[in-house]
Amino acid sequence: MYGWYVGLVLLVAVERVAELVVSLRNARWSFARGGVEAGRGHYPFMVALHTLLLAACLVEAAHRTFVPWLGWTMFAVVLLAQGLRWWCITVLGHQWNTRVIVVPGLKLVARGPYRWLRHPNYVAVVAEGIALPLVHTAWLTALIFTVLNIPLLAVRIRTEEAALKSTLVP
């Protein structure tokens, strides 16, 4: 089962690269329209934490046994998290980014998952950060990522809220 899990983690890594491609394209679009970036200080830590999550999954899972009831349940959560993430990306369109870039004068998006949650993408991040390691019983990775991700998300959400408040039309 470990070989299959390596494939899953590599697919998530490819998905991250796809996100970065979309993010770079959207950043160019935003900056061309007067976009303003906020929160540059926390971004390198976020990139490092998410990269280390993938590496830690592989290292820890190599020493763990696959537990079918846990693994398949967490695999379903990973798929749901990916679906939610790409729903968010699709709904935000050019406004979605891995960085905090806001174009002054645009309206706040309130459709799709944003009808119900202010930051649904972070629900996907939290779910995936717990579920991906647990697909192959890497509980320590899930725990450490979650603990480190809590203050990062607090900073990130405060940064986004301040940027949105200062530039978007309600």
Side-chain angles (χ1 to χ4, degrees):
M1 281 310 281
Y2 181 71
W4 174 85
Y5 183 67
V6 170
L8 174 63
V9 173
L10 291 176
L11 280 174
V12 171
V14 168
E15 189 275 335
R16 289 292 180 276
V17 171
E19 282 182 29
L20 291 175
V21 169
V22 171
S23 180
L24 288 171
R25 183 191 69 213
N26 290 346
R28 284 192 299 273
W29 182 92
S30 295
F31 289 136
R33 287 157 181 78
V36 178
E37 184 173 4
R40 288 185 195 162
H42 74 271
Y43 189 73
F45 179 73
M46 185 178 79
V47 171
L49 182 62
H50 284 257
T51 302
L52 288 172
L53 168 67
L54 300 179
C57 282
L58 296 177
V59 170
E60 184 180 359
H63 307 286
R64 302 279 185 214
T65 303
F66 180 77
V67 177
W69 68 266
L70 177 64
W72 293 119
T73 302
M74 292 300 106
F75 178 68
V77 173
V78 168
L79 293 178
L80 290 170
Q82 293 300 327
L84 177 58
R85 170 178 287 116
W86 283 96
W87 188 18
C88 293
I89 291 168
T90 301
V91 167
L92 288 178
H94 289 295
Q95 291 177 264
W96 180 85
N97 208 293
T98 59
R99 295 156 47 191
V100 180
I101 304 171
V102 182
V103 177
L106 291 181
K107 288 192 169 237
L108 187 64
V109 173
R111 63 186 185 283
Y114 295 90
R115 283 183 298 214
W116 305 291
L117 294 171
R118 183 80 169 163
H119 298 278
N121 187 63
Y122 299 132
V123 173
V125 169
V126 169
E128 183 186 73
I130 294 167
L132 183 61
L134 291 179
V135 167
H136 208 284
T137 325
W139 62 269
L140 193 56
T141 298
L143 178 65
I144 292 170
F145 175 82
T146 300
V147 168
L148 293 175
N149 198 38
I150 289 169
L152 174 62
L153 281 178
V155 168
R156 179 75 175 198
I157 290 170
R158 273 196 311 272
T159 301
E160 284 187 10
E161 286 297 322
L164 290 170
K165 185 176 182 181
S166 69
T167 59
L168 288 184
V169 176

